[in-house]
Amino acid sequence: MIILIVLAFGVIVFLEVPGLVKKKAWRELAVFSFFLILGFTLALLQVMGVALPNPNHAIEALFRPFTEWME
């Protein structure tokens, strides 16, 4: 399964990066690389069975004061 993830992300890089470099879109390449590395890391950790935190808890904690204020 790990090999499939590496291959899938490799295909994404192979298809997207040359166009960004050719256009000299360095900022877009930096943002693309950041999200690609983040997604690759999370996918790899999930496949390896690492318990990942649920982002809903952070979102609820962030918006709880606003919803209580509105009530």
Side-chain angles (χ1 to χ4, degrees):
M1 192 63 160
I2 293 174
I3 294 172
L4 290 175
I5 290 175
V6 172
L7 286 174
F9 278 88
V11 169
I12 293 169
V13 168
F14 179 74
L15 294 174
E16 295 294 329
V17 171
L20 292 172
V21 172
K22 188 175 182 180
K23 293 178 185 176
K24 296 184 181 179
W26 306 120
R27 290 181 182 168
E28 288 85 353
L29 182 61
V31 172
F32 173 79
S33 298
F34 171 76
F35 284 115
L36 186 78
I37 291 169
L38 180 65
F40 179 74
T41 303
L42 291 174
L44 198 59
L45 288 173
Q46 188 173 15
V47 166
M48 293 171 56
V50 176
L52 299 173
N54 187 347
N56 285 337
H57 299 300
I59 294 169
E60 286 176 7
L62 180 67
F63 286 104
R64 185 171 293 122
F66 296 112
T67 57
E68 290 174 357
W69 175 71
M70 293 176 71
E71 289 180 348

